[in-house]
Amino acid sequence: MIQRNRSTAASGPGSRSRDGDELEGGALDLVPSATAVDRRADGRRYELEYDPSADPPSQAVVAAVAAFTETDPAALEPLHAAVDTDALDALFRPPTDAGRRVAFRYGGLEITVGSPGTVTVTETTVETDG
């Protein structure tokens, strides 16, 4: 079940869910077109919906990871260390196929960018051999 998380409040325009509720944190000021933020009840998955014609996916990834980890976006590892941000932005530049998806690891998290306009952040568990 997906539940809204209200741990922090956003203050900028475009920082509201589809229901008009305030979205999480100042990190989402990076993505003014954000329309929904959902966090799984177990706290291991987070989803951000945004308008890809207004905001690049690389910016949405940084905002989603910062909100999920409750970290200032400027304190995160540069996204370009994990993925070619220019290629990511070009791949999802509108118009795109509705089924397009890219997954990669960033900051110890599994990131999935999908079209049209979704970023999913999933906490991963690392399994080690005996």
Side-chain angles (χ1 to χ4, degrees), residues 10 21 24 26 35-36 38 47 49 57 65 83 95 98 105 107 117 119 121-122:
D21 297 331
E24 294 182 5
T35 57
D38 295 315
E47 187 170 285
E49 293 179 13
V65 169
V83 68
R105 289 192 186 273
V119 174
V121 178
T122 307

Side-chain angles (χ1 to χ4, degrees), residues 50 52-53 55-58 86-104 112-118:
Y50 68 100
S53 66
D55 296 304
S58 59
D86 291 334
L88 180 68
D89 291 344
L91 186 61
F92 289 95
R93 190 170 292 124
T96 61
D97 299 331
R100 188 168 290 178
R101 300 180 77 73
V102 171
F104 57 94
T112 304
V113 179
S115 58
T118 62

Side-chain angles (χ1 to χ4, degrees), residues 50-75:
Y50 68 100
D51 179 356
S53 66
D55 296 304
S58 59
Q59 207 165 309
V61 167
V62 171
V65 169
F68 178 77
T69 61
E70 298 179 352
T71 303
D72 183 331

